[in-house]
Amino acid sequence: MAAIITRLIFWAVIICLFESILSIKPHQRRLSAYNPAIKNLLPKGYSYQTKYFNQQVDHFGFVNEDTYEQRYLVSDQFWNKNGGPIFFYTGNEGDIAWFCNNTGFVWDTAPEFEAMIVFAEHRFYGESMPYGPESYKDPTKLNFLTSEQALADFATLIEYIKSTTPGASNSRVVAFGGSYGGMLSAWFRIKYPNVVVGALAASAPIWQFHNLTPCLAFDQTVTKTFSYYSDNCVDNIGRVYSTIDNMVKSGGSAALSFLSSTFSLCQPLQANQIDTLEGWLENIWGNLAMVNYPYPASFLEPLPAWPVQEACKPLSTTLQDKLLVRGVAKAVKIYFNSTGTAECLNITQQATGNLGDAGWGYQSCSEMVMPMCSDNTTVFRPIVWNYTDVSESCYKQFKIRPRRDWVITNYWGKSLSAASNIIFSNGQFDPWSSGGVLESLSDSLIAIHIKQGAHHLDLRAANKMDTDAVKAARIQEKKIISQWLQN
């Protein structure tokens, strides 16, 4: 149980206002990550305007008449002002500017379609705070942080843009989104087919829920990504936790000193921090798999091309004891110090930066209840997912209890036969593909599998080092979008 409480689950880096990062629970794994400390600016020649729209706080009731300013970004530099389409990005759990700057496919594609570009910020994230500094302090206010309210925001905003922008009244709208934004994009088409003609849902784990996807699937996909490069790498990582445990148990302070120096820690490691150290390691494996891009990128941290391959190089042969720990330390430094500029590493360091995403902890305790577990066949320590524990933790933090199956009821689960015009793209290396739609469900619910693809690689800007698989995926996506706009 101690591992469940203290483990910094990879992909669960949430800046929670109610608990410290060391208390993050397995069910709170994040869906996407952007590091605002790294300036990923738009390519030269692209620009947008920042605008604000007065939104209802509650779209589904008639008592609360509060409103808030929703931020959105608009570019009409490519737009055919005589009814050209609108490419609408459904904002994720963070500052919308970072999603705008990391979704180059929309910018690359808009000139071809003469499309207006809109990036809409999700309520309770970035600058779109319904109650300003008080937004997270009162459960009755956080109650309006739901995907349903966010989708209603998007639909209302589109209606406003079309009714107030000359030439846009007949513009067809295509939704785009990646990760949680991809889930919203798919659900947007499901809920509001009258507003959007189709949706590209990239790396969207819409089935990462109870009884839809096995709780082991995410961890197994991470492990497969590492084993693609080296089975020895997987075996070494899987054994490092017990190696560290045994080393500390038998070696005492000398072992702690060895671990501190080997991992270049900023502070000497204490005996009661072993769980934290091991959880910190686990946090890295999932992130490396997600950003295993074919070119250098700074999506989370500055990383080389194919970072999993680079991390596995020092672990490519069977290692034991201190040699094993040293090999893992080298792999860790591929993630946190590939530039060689970090003087030391901190085991409480967040692997995804400050995203302005404090609300995700709340969402993971309301609608987004995604079962996650591990066993000894993965690169993680065994961990059991227990709904009762999750519920108690959520009540302690937010005074709410999850509705485990509501997302399935609300967004149809796997019963999508009535839906249409959705592209579900997923990459081979992306752990979140485990909860995604991997096979086409009909002629208009199209699954695109990207060999050697990482987390919504297809939504990123074109790169000279792109694989043939992602190039083909983008060509197919543009062809389908063209059909939506013509029909």
Side-chain angles (χ1 to χ4, degrees):
M1 182 61 69
I4 298 176
I5 300 300
T6 60
R7 174 180 170 186
L8 292 180
I9 293 298
F10 52 89
W11 213 218
V13 186
I14 303 163
I15 307 161
C16 183
L17 299 182
F18 300 90
E19 290 193 343
S20 72
I21 187 170
L22 296 182
S23 302
I24 291 170
K25 305 302 187 297
H27 67 283
Q28 293 176 320
R29 301 185 192 188
R30 294 195 60 265
L31 292 185
S32 58
Y34 295 79
N35 190 343
I38 302 168
K39 293 184 178 181
N40 293 311
L41 301 177
L42 285 175
K44 186 177 180 180
Y46 292 179
S47 63
Y48 59 76
Q49 291 181 299
T50 301
K51 297 187 177 184
Y52 298 85
F53 175 60
N54 196 41
Q55 281 281 13
Q56 288 289 128
V57 169
D58 184 8
H59 291 283
F60 305 110
F62 297 89
V63 175
N64 185 336
E65 297 183 351
D66 295 345
T67 61
Y68 79 97
E69 295 295 301
Q70 180 186 17
R71 180 169 59 150
Y72 65 105
L73 315 177
V74 180
S75 174
D76 63 1
Q77 65 186 110
F78 313 115
W79 183 49
N80 179 342
K81 294 179 173 57
N82 187 27
I86 298 172
F87 286 177
F88 188 92
Y89 187 92
T90 52
N92 302 49
E93 69 286 25
D95 189 304
I96 192 59
W98 298 104
F99 297 100
C100 176
N101 294 340
N102 281 277
T103 312
F105 176 69
V106 172
W107 293 93
D108 292 344
T109 306
E112 180 179 340
F113 286 90
E114 298 183 304
M116 178 193 299
I117 298 172
V118 179
F119 280 80
E121 192 160 68
H122 193 299
R123 58 170 52 204
F124 285 86
Y125 295 106
E127 295 182 13
S128 300
M129 307 299 289
Y131 293 101
E134 303 298 313
S135 294
Y136 293 110
K137 296 180 180 180
D138 184 346
T140 64
K141 293 180 172 61
L142 270 175
N143 189 52
F144 297 107
L145 171 52
T146 67
S147 60
E148 298 98 321
Q149 296 280 8
L151 293 177
D153 283 344
F154 298 152
T156 304
L157 175 59
I158 288 172
E159 291 175 355
Y160 168 77
I161 292 172
K162 294 180 70 171
S163 65
T164 60
T165 306
S169 60
N170 294 319
S171 293
R172 293 192 170 192
V173 182
V174 177
F176 295 78
S179 202
Y180 171 52
M183 298 166 74
L184 292 171
S185 180
W187 293 340
F188 199 16
R189 172 60 186 174
I190 288 172
K191 288 288 187 177
Y192 296 94
N194 57 313
V195 177
V196 292
V197 298
L200 170 52
S203 298
I206 63 168
W207 290 344
Q208 193 73 47
F209 294 97
H210 179 62
N211 282 342
L212 297 184
T213 297
C215 64
L216 275 169
F218 184 99
D219 290 5
Q220 289 174 331
T221 307
V222 174
T223 304
K224 288 178 182 177
T225 298
F226 277 76
S227 66
Y228 181 88
Y229 297 102
S230 169
D231 288 335
N232 280 333
C233 183
V234 170
D235 293 340
N236 284 325
I237 293 173
R239 286 185 289 103
V240 74
Y241 314 110
S242 59
T243 298
I244 291 174
D245 292 340
N246 294 334
M247 187 177 292
V248 173
K249 184 177 180 180
S250 61
S253 58
L256 294 172
S257 178
F258 168 77
L259 291 170
S260 298
S261 62
T262 301
F263 285 103
S264 302
L265 301 184
C266 298
Q267 301 293 330
L269 187 67
Q270 304 299 313
N272 63 356
Q273 293 181 308
I274 299 305
D275 270 353
T276 303
L277 171 67
E278 293 174 1
W280 178 68
L281 297 178
E282 291 177 309
N283 196 20
I284 294 166
W285 314 136
N287 286 318
L288 277 170
M290 280 184 287
V291 296
N292 194 36
Y293 298 128
Y295 46 77
S298 297
F299 191 53
L300 304 182
E301 296 285 336
L303 294 172
W306 303 119
V308 173
Q309 176 177 295
E310 295 302 312
C312 278
K313 283 181 178 178
L315 298 170
S316 60
T317 60
T318 301
L319 302 173
Q320 303 289 342
D321 302 323
K322 287 186 176 182
L323 289 177
L324 172 57
V325 175
R326 289 191 181 108
V328 170
K330 290 178 181 178
V332 166
K333 291 171 186 177
I334 293 294
Y335 186 83
F336 274 125
N337 194 23
S338 66
T339 62
T341 58
E343 295 181 1
C344 61
L345 303 183
N346 190 332
I347 60 173
T348 62
Q349 180 179 351
Q350 296 180 19
T352 53
N354 181 346
L355 309 175
D357 67 343
W360 186 254
Y362 178 85
Q363 286 194 263
S364 70
C365 277
S366 55
E367 300 174 292
M368 305 300 161
V369 188
M370 299 182 176
M372 299 280 184
C373 62
S374 301
D375 64 16
N376 57 14
T377 66
T378 72
V379 292
F380 305 98
R381 296 171 293 175
I383 190 169
V384 176
W385 192 83
N386 184 291
Y387 177 74
T388 300
D389 290 343
V390 169
S391 180
E392 290 301 321
S393 172
C394 290
Y395 188 78
K396 179 181 177 182
Q397 293 181 67
F398 304 107
K399 303 304 179 187
I400 64 169
R401 296 194 183 277
R403 294 179 183 173
R404 185 185 62 185
D405 301 318
W406 172 238
V407 159
I408 300 172
T409 301
N410 194 23
Y411 298 120
W412 309 1
K414 293 190 175 182
S415 301
L416 297 178
S417 60
S420 64
N421 291 8
I422 305 173
I423 301 168
F424 296 100
S425 63
N426 284 281
Q428 174 187 358
F429 292 149
D430 181 17
W432 289 109
S433 67
S434 63
V437 179
L438 303 181
E439 295 183 5
S440 297
L441 304 176
S442 71
D443 291 341
S444 66
L445 297 175
I446 308 299
I448 297 178
H449 176 74
I450 304 172
K451 185 179 180 181
Q452 297 181 307
H455 201 48
H456 45 72
L457 173 62
D458 52 323
L459 283 189
R460 293 177 62 80
N463 188 290
K464 63 182 180 181
M465 299 175 70
D466 275 331
T467 63
D468 289 341
V470 74
K471 292 177 183 178
R474 292 181 183 134
I475 291 172
Q476 184 179 359
E477 289 164 355
K478 288 192 291 184
K479 181 179 179 181
I480 295 170
I481 291 169
S482 179
Q483 292 171 349
W484 293 342
L485 295 174
Q486 291 174 9
N487 291 335

